[in-house]
């Protein structure tokens, strides 16, 4: 059994990423080790990604995503340096941020409500473990963006796919 955490950067691909994007990703995981090479577990992964948007008043927009995945990993060696491949399957929730504002009298209100959708997610990965430290590249197929009535109307229903590069620490419990 092992527990781990990862931090890293992410970027959108496909139509949403055409004008550039940058984001932050973190993940928490728990794994069961069937053998020294094969493990399966659960992962919670969250990302906040901003991107260039020609249709937005400010020229940028943002989405957040949360993935809950059942995952498997195969480590090719049992030495200290272990390249691995993995696959996660689960659900992704994609949401827009809620925007609030305050008027001259100090009254606060919602200017643009948050919108979200839940999709099936597929998350293949490649990585290298060096002892307890892991670096991996993950590509997340997280479904489509929410159908929007407000802020992100032009991005309604577009593919929300993104890559992430993370550095993590996995602590085994012997």
């Amino acid at each position: 059994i092992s527990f781990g955490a990862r931090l890293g950067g992410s970027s959108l691909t496909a139509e949403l990423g055409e004008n550039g994007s940058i984001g932050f990703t973190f993940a928490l995981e728990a794994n069961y080790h069937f053998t020294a090479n094969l493990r399966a577990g659960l992962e919670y992964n969250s990302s906040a990604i901003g991107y260039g948007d020609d249709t937005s008043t400010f020229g940028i927009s943002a989405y957040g995503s949360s993935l809950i995945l059942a995952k498997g990993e195969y480590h090719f060696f049992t030495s200290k340096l272990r390249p691995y491949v993995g696959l996660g399957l689960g659900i992704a929730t994609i949401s827009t941020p809620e925007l609030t504002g305050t008027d001259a009298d100090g009254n606060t209100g919602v200017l643009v409500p948050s919108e979200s959708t839940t999709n099936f997610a597929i998350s293949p990965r490649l990585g290298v473990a060096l002892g307890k430290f892991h670096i991996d590249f993950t590509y997340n197929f997280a479904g489509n963006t929410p159908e929007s009535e407000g802020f992100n109307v032009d991005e309604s229903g577009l593919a929300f796919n993104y890559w992430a590069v993370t550095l993590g620490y996995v602590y085994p419990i012997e």
Side-chain angles (χ1 to χ4, degrees):
I1 295 176
S2 63
F3 297 95
R6 295 190 321 270
L7 296 172
S10 52
S11 184
L12 292 165
T13 60
E15 284 184 75
L16 284 176
E18 285 178 347
N19 293 325
S21 66
I22 189 165
F24 173 77
T25 297
F26 79 91
L28 300 172
E29 63 183 75
N31 301 296
Y32 178 78
H33 300 233
F34 292 101
T35 68
N37 300 83
L38 183 63
R39 57 190 68 171
L42 296 174
E43 176 180 316
Y44 172 77
N45 178 325
S46 185
S47 296
I49 304 174
Y51 62 97
D53 182 359
D54 295 335
T55 63
S56 168
T57 304
F58 304 106
I60 59 169
S61 288
Y63 279 102
S65 70
S66 296
L67 283 69
I68 298 174
L69 304 167
K71 69 174 193 156
E73 288 180 357
Y74 181 78
H75 292 243
F76 292 102
F77 307 116
T78 57
S79 61
K80 193 170 196 155
L81 180 65
R82 302 178 316 276
Y84 61 89
V85 295
L87 180 66
L89 301 172
I91 57 171
T93 301
I94 302 165
S95 58
T96 60
E98 179 177 274
L99 299 178
T100 59
T102 305
D103 65 17
D105 296 327
N107 300 315
T108 301
V110 175
L111 301 174
V112 180
S114 177
E115 298 171 316
S116 67
T117 188
T118 301
N119 304 309
F120 177 71
I122 300 172
S123 183
R125 70 191 65 213
L126 298 170
V128 175
L130 179 57
K132 296 176 184 176
F133 291 95
H134 292 228
I135 185 166
D136 70 23
F137 174 85
T138 306
Y139 193 86
N140 296 291
F141 297 93
N144 292 336
T145 58
E147 292 298 327
S148 182
E149 306 253 340
F151 192 59
N152 290 356
V153 173
D154 293 328
E155 286 81 24
S156 289
L158 295 180
F160 190 82
N161 301 330
Y162 64 99
W163 57 261
V165 175
T166 58
L167 177 64
Y169 184 82
V170 177
Y171 184 78
I173 297 176
E174 311 276 332

